[in-house]
Amino acid sequence: MDWREMASCRDADPDLFFPIGNSNSGPSLIQTYQAKAVCCRCPVMEQCLNWAIRADPVEGIWGGTTESERRAMRRRLARQSRAAVETPA
Ligand code: SF4
């Protein structure tokens, strides 16, 4: 079974997951919180987040994260990978 078939957002308002405008204030911020609340109850949050990190850039809320949060995660993962390669055994 594809993880998407178990997604909690299948029954939620899709607009919540694609807030328009500045996600740091106003209605967009409220939508972001509401979408993240759905994600927190989702049984496939981990699979969704892994997909979104690999697929970036993708817009919207995926795996309980915003696009900018995933960008930061990808940078952190890249730094950790570089450090692991550069660290002598
Ligand atoms: S984690 Fe969020 S965006 Fe991903 S499938 Fe679940 S509810 Fe949908």
Side-chain angles (χ1 to χ4, degrees):
M1 176 188 284
D2 189 288
W3 61 266
R4 291 172 183 85
E5 294 177 29
M6 297 173 63
S8 296
C9 52
R10 287 170 61 109
D11 300 322
D13 177 0
D15 288 344
L16 285 182
F17 292 83
F18 298 95
I20 295 172
N22 184 346
S23 64
N24 295 322
S25 63
S28 177
L29 180 62
I30 294 168
Q31 284 180 298
T32 299
Y33 280 133
Q34 290 174 332
K36 286 183 172 186
V38 175
C39 292
C40 285
R41 296 190 302 269
C42 180
V44 292
M45 185 175 164
E46 187 176 333
Q47 292 95 319
C48 179
L49 178 57
N50 286 336
W51 173 84
I53 288 173
R54 285 195 309 270
D56 254 357
V58 287
E59 293 181 19
I61 310 297
W62 294 87
T65 62
T66 63
E67 187 176 351
S68 63
E69 289 167 338
R70 290 191 302 276
R71 205 175 308 122
M73 292 170 89
R74 290 174 67 213
R75 281 196 302 266
R76 198 166 42 247
L77 289 170
R79 270 196 309 273
Q80 288 170 350
S81 291
R82 278 195 303 274
V85 168
E86 293 167 3
T87 303

